[in-house]
Amino acid sequence: DKGGWSSFMAKEISEEPEAVANTVRGRVGDDGLVHIPELEGLDELFGTISRVVVVACGTASYAGMVGKYAIEKWTKLPVEVALSHEFRYSDPVIDEHTLVVSISQSGETMDTLMAVKYAAAHGAKTLSICNTQGATIPRESDAVVYTHAGPEVAVASTKAFVAQITALYLFGLHLARVRGTLSEQALAENIAQLQSVPDKIAEVLTQQDEIAQLAHWMSDSRAVLFLGRHVGYPIALEGALKLKELAYIHAEGFAAGELKHGPIALIEPGQPVFVVVPSPRGSQTMHAKVVSNIQEIRARGAKIIAIAEEGDVAVLPFADTVVRVPLAAPLFEPLLAVIPTQIFAMELATAKGLDVDQPRNLAKSVTVE
Ligand code: F6R
């Protein structure tokens, strides 16, 4: 039931604040720190792992890429993110000190299931992050942390993505507490950040009409580029994937630092480019570098849509449009910056008269390798 919305996708985007809030619920203890009940009894195991390998496909793999930055920062464990199908056939180096974390909305993606089975058969411990109770991948894993995004019907993943990042962050904070790699104060500050995300997403959602106008303006574009850096990089990849899937427009996401190593050759007058701008409060250097990328492509005629935090005026002279997101600690920005890209893809597909819930050639769950 679409509950009055024009599509399941529109409904599911509107549910993103709850998807995050419900995933956090029940996982913060009386001490104000993250205690994931499903992971109780695994402290000893978590004490012995020396690395984490995340396996996933598509949007879920981009959630994994975001999670890598947080988990490495908080736990000091090396985290590698692999596409499930590449991992499975790459003769990966894993042993009993490797924790393989799979991410899957459906819990039925065959590529990811095969990666999990391979990991288990080669002695690794497996943990699954999944949105579907009792699905095959969690049943095949040693442990599971469910995302509580609720059923996702639209083929393109939206609310499950923010719930996946949320679950990865909860897992990172749980692991950091168990392994003693973050102070109680830092653990508490990070969970407070996560708890403030739902209201901030709700604020981003109020800009739907402006983003829809942007989509109308770009409905004839033949290609759209997305740039991001650090945690903004996977958001650039995700924004491009959503646009390909829904609007059948050629779209590419790039790490902003790669521009001069090739992609800048694509910039010609009128080329739309979304730029995920990192907060200057995180790293001034990274912010300055991204603003300078914007200047470079603007000088070559690109049309810039900047996704930037409130009050960041550095982008104003160069951006054709600025979509604002509320202030958040840098690691939490992707949970906000992704929302405009999802809305944009949905609105552009709608403007082209396409079925946003059921794009051509795609299935909600890919149960073949
Ligand atoms: C993109 C999308 C896909 C899935 C991927 C993995 O919008 O939905 O890229 O993310 O097929 O699916 P799950 O998470 O079910 O394993």
Side-chain angles (χ1 to χ4, degrees):
D1 176 23
K2 291 183 207 161
W5 293 89
S6 56
S7 62
F8 280 106
M9 189 179 178
K11 172 172 179 274
E12 287 161 10
I13 288 176
S14 80
E15 291 167 347
E16 291 190 88
E18 292 104 276
V20 172
N22 291 341
T23 299
V24 174
R25 183 163 304 127
R27 285 153 172 183
V28 180
D30 295 335
D31 56 2
L33 307 181
V34 175
H35 296 261
I36 301 179
E38 299 97 306
L39 303 183
E40 218 170 277
L42 297 178
D43 288 13
E44 204 182 308
L45 165 72
F46 290 151
T48 63
I49 57 175
S50 61
R51 58 195 271 268
V52 175
V53 179
V54 177
V55 293
C57 299
T59 292
S61 77
Y62 301 143
M65 286 174 71
V66 173
K68 169 188 160 87
Y69 294 93
I71 298 172
E72 286 192 334
K73 184 166 179 177
W74 295 336
T75 69
K76 303 296 176 215
L77 286 169
V79 180
E80 187 189 324
V81 184
L83 293 167
S84 311
H85 34 89
E86 288 293 324
F87 171 84
R88 166 69 183 80
Y89 295 98
S90 65
D91 202 2
V93 182
I94 43 175
D95 59 19
E96 71 274 23
H97 301 298
T98 310
L99 180 69
V100 172
V101 176
S102 65
I103 310 172
S104 177
Q105 188 286 128
S106 62
E108 301 295 344
T109 299
M110 186 56 77
D111 287 316
T112 303
L113 175 61
M114 296 312 279
V116 170
K117 285 189 170 173
Y118 181 95
H122 289 76
K125 294 289 177 270
T126 58
L127 181 145
S128 126
I129 290 179
C130 182
N131 197 45
T132 312
Q133 293 282 333
T136 311
I137 294 172
R139 278 194 277 115
E140 290 287 333
S141 303
D142 296 318
V144 53
V145 176
Y146 281 108
T147 47
H148 296 295
E152 195 178 59
V153 177
V155 165
S157 191
T158 54
K159 63 177 181 174
F161 178 72
V162 291
Q164 286 160 349
I165 295 174
T166 302
L168 284 163
Y169 281 20
L170 288 168
F171 169 65
L173 293 172
H174 182 101
L175 206 56
R177 178 181 55 73
V178 170
R179 292 175 62 95
T181 48
L182 278 187
S183 68
E184 288 209 351
Q185 190 192 339
L187 288 167
E189 279 169 12
N190 281 299
I191 189 63
Q193 275 290 328
L194 200 51
Q195 286 169 322
S196 73
V197 164
D199 284 348
K200 293 175 185 173
I201 294 181
E203 241 181 280
V204 181
L205 292 175
T206 63
Q207 295 172 78
Q208 175 129 12
D209 291 346
E210 288 90 320
I211 300 168
Q213 274 173 23
L214 205 60
H216 278 276
W217 163 66
M218 274 194 258
S219 58
D220 291 330
S221 299
R222 288 187 52 231
V224 178
L225 305 180
F226 292 77
L227 296 180
R229 210 178 162 108
H230 192 254
V231 282
Y233 171 40
I235 299 307
L237 297 174
E238 169 62 4
L241 176 62
K242 237 31 6 143
L243 204 54
K244 288 175 203 167
E245 274 185 294
L246 292 168
Y248 316 149
I249 290 180
H250 184 74
E252 287 302 327
F254 297 107
E258 272 298 288
L259 251 192
K260 59 183 173 302
H261 299 289
I264 197 163
L266 290 169
I267 305 295
E268 54 189 19
Q271 172 63 55
V273 184
F274 278 78
V275 184
V276 181
V277 184
S279 161
R281 296 166 306 114
S283 155
Q284 278 192 15
T285 314
M286 268 203 290
H287 176 261
K289 284 186 188 298
V290 171
V291 172
S292 129
N293 290 143
I294 292 178
Q295 281 174 268
E296 280 158 11
I297 55 176
R298 169 65 178 237
R300 290 162 176 82
K303 287 233 176 255
I304 316 279
I305 304 96
I307 302 175
E309 74 172 19
E310 275 155 20
D312 181 354
V313 292
V315 295
L316 287 175
F318 317 109
D320 294 87
T321 306
V322 183
V323 181
R324 292 294 181 187
V325 293
L327 305 195
L331 284 173
F332 296 84
E333 288 167 14
L335 289 160
L336 309 178
V338 74
I339 311 290
T341 71
Q342 297 169 340
I343 297 174
F344 177 75
M346 175 179 71
E347 293 292 348
L348 189 43
T350 307
K352 291 178 76 170
L354 300 171
D355 180 346
V356 295
D357 286 338
Q358 190 56 258
R360 69 186 179 200
N361 309 342
L362 293 171
K364 182 65 183 161
S365 119
V366 185
T367 53
V368 289
E369 252 191 290

